[in-house]
Amino acid sequence: MMNRSGRRSGVLIGVLLSAVVGGTVQPAIAAPVRDAGDQATPFRNSPVRSTELEIARTLSASLRDPRWREQVRTAALGTEDVDLQALTSGTAAPKGRKLLASVAAADRRLAELKGLPASTGSLLRVRLGSPSMRSRLDAGVTPWIAVAAADDHAKDITAYDSQGHVHAVDTARVPDRPLYILDIDVTKAHRAGLKVLQKAFADKAPASLPENANSAGAASAAGWWATKVTAVEVNDDQEPWFKGAAEMFSLVTGFGQDGAARVDSVDMPYLDYDGTVYYPNQILVNWSTYKYNLADVVMMEDDDGTNYRALAQAITTALLTVTDQGSYIPLVNAVLSAIPDSWFTDDPDYVESWYTLAQNSSGRLNGASGNGWMTVEPYFVEQF
């Protein structure tokens, strides 16, 4: 499910990469399949989860204080995601105030682990495990605290009660007992992470580029042609109930006006639920930034374990080996081959991909994996 915790305005970030090493990537006709024997990367088992578990245990113990427990309850019923640092800094309850130093330190550590600047601020959030638990969250019940499993397909998740006992909660159904999920604000981290990616990719660009190697120079005085998404649906967003908010985005890849491999990150904050058709009328591709009349799209769902600096390094390393051979080369496989195995289990999950999107493409386009579709149409963006 895609029970989104926050709303964001669409972000379209153009990232220009320079091709510095010779090599080619062969076109593909189907979505790539990961080899189960591939070696996992450091993204998968980062200390992010250990940090979350430590705070979860501490928070569960603090709920023995009725006054603090009621403040957490009121906050959780009032909003989908509660900023834990803000809540602990604003309470007069001793148990809550005592948590502040630990939570603030954990926020700083999480930002570092995710490759985000210290200015990102608080990241830890607490939310009710499911909306169906609201009626069961009365003042006389002390909820358990759980951290979502790293594996979307885990059969159970670990929860802590206020006495320090550990419980295995079945992920196949929403539990009868109310519990809080401790999580990272993926919306905030994703926005900050896109800025990290943009800077990292830009740092890889050559010192000087042709005058038409950017969107402003390539666009005509009258405007530029785009591809607009008029409808989109995803069959499976890779998010079980305990993972909460889904953050969807797409990577649009092609060759820039200078012939260098290019990727644009397009935020899709409206994709709240799988199995639902959305009508965003969103710009997906700005064709004035591309050399060829073809581009590829990879749709991803972002989770909380991503190290954005490491991610930028992985993608740039892959795309910098792709050179313009004088004809269009699909880049989906180059991007997916750079993605660690953890992206297919936790961290940003692969959702769907579309090959050879053209400027004149229109109508329904089914994804290569059969997990989603979108309808598109050409759209001319006029300049004032």
Side-chain angles (χ1 to χ4, degrees):
M1 64 182 175
M2 294 167 65
N3 179 21
R4 184 171 304 282
S5 61
R7 303 288 178 178
R8 290 169 292 157
S9 58
V11 178
L12 177 62
I13 299 179
V15 181
L16 190 61
L17 302 179
S18 170
V20 295
V21 181
T24 61
V25 176
Q26 296 301 316
I29 59 175
V33 177
R34 299 293 288 191
D35 184 349
D38 287 350
Q39 185 176 0
T41 72
F43 293 17
R44 180 71 177 125
N45 295 315
S46 76
V48 168
R49 181 169 172 78
S50 296
T51 302
E52 292 176 306
L53 288 171
E54 181 180 348
I55 295 298
R57 286 191 291 265
T58 306
L59 177 59
S60 65
S62 73
L63 295 182
R64 290 197 294 265
D65 179 355
R67 180 183 176 188
W68 168 239
R69 182 171 69 242
E70 177 58 24
Q71 289 180 356
V72 177
R73 171 181 175 272
T74 300
L77 291 174
T79 183
E80 291 187 34
D81 273 316
V82 180
D83 184 327
L84 188 56
Q85 186 174 155
L87 186 64
T88 54
S89 65
T91 183
K95 288 290 185 179
R97 292 292 297 179
K98 188 177 180 180
L99 277 174
L100 177 57
S102 297
V103 171
D107 279 331
R108 291 191 297 269
R109 176 158 174 75
L110 288 169
E112 180 183 358
L113 291 171
K114 291 174 63 59
L116 301 175
S119 58
T120 302
S122 62
L123 288 172
L124 285 171
R125 299 292 185 268
V126 173
R127 57 180 168 81
L128 198 57
S130 171
S132 64
M133 296 177 181
R134 295 179 68 88
S135 61
R136 288 171 255 155
L137 190 63
D138 59 58
V141 176
T142 303
W144 296 345
I145 307 293
V147 174
D151 184 355
D152 288 356
H153 305 290
K155 295 183 178 180
D156 57 59
I157 57 175
T158 300
Y160 304 95
D161 65 25
S162 60
Q163 302 303 315
H165 301 139
V166 180
H167 305 268
V169 178
D170 187 0
T171 61
R173 64 182 184 87
V174 178
D176 294 330
R177 185 183 186 91
L179 58 81
Y180 296 129
I181 299 290
L182 185 74
D183 208 349
I184 288 176
D185 186 343
V186 182
T187 299
K188 187 175 186 178
H190 179 62
R191 185 187 298 117
L194 289 180
K195 293 180 179 178
V196 171
L197 291 177
Q198 182 185 26
K199 184 179 185 305
F201 291 154
D203 288 345
K204 294 289 186 178
S208 61
L209 296 172
E211 291 182 0
N212 66 342
N214 58 70
S215 59
S220 69
W224 42 274
W225 279 101
T227 291
K228 182 171 67 172
V229 178
T230 57
V232 61
E233 180 184 15
V234 173
N235 298 326
D236 182 4
D237 63 6
Q238 309 298 322
E239 284 293 90
W241 68 265
F242 57 84
K243 295 298 286 290
E247 299 297 329
M248 303 288 286
F249 66 101
S250 288
L251 299 177
V252 180
T253 62
F255 288 92
Q257 291 290 336
D258 65 340
R262 174 189 180 91
V263 57
D264 295 294
S265 179
V266 182
D267 204 1
M268 295 180 157
Y270 49 84
L271 277 170
D272 291 335
Y273 299 96
D274 51 20
T276 301
V277 180
Y278 293 91
Y279 304 92
N281 287 316
Q282 180 184 27
I283 298 297
L284 183 66
V285 185
N286 175 354
W287 290 105
S288 70
T289 62
Y290 289 89
K291 176 179 180 180
Y292 298 108
N293 182 32
L294 291 172
D296 301 318
V297 179
V298 179
M299 182 180 288
M300 311 294 295
E301 189 282 318
D302 197 358
D303 286 315
D304 65 8
T306 313
N307 183 313
Y308 288 94
R309 288 198 183 98
L311 174 58
Q313 179 62 42
I315 294 179
T316 54
T317 299
L319 292 185
L320 290 177
T321 65
V322 182
T323 59
D324 181 9
Q325 302 296 310
S327 62
Y328 178 73
I329 301 172
L331 298 177
V332 170
N333 280 8
V335 172
L336 292 183
S337 67
I339 295 174
D341 290 340
S342 61
W343 281 46
F344 293 77
T345 51
D346 196 60
D347 294 338
D349 294 323
Y350 169 77
V351 176
E352 188 54 278
S353 54
W354 289 264
Y355 290 83
T356 59
L357 181 70
Q359 181 175 310
N360 62 354
S361 294
S362 63
R364 174 167 170 151
L365 303 176
N366 293 320
S369 295
N371 189 43
W373 59 267
M374 60 181 174
T375 58
V376 300
E377 64 180 34
Y379 184 78
F380 188 73
V381 181
E382 296 183 0
Q383 293 184 356
F384 290 106

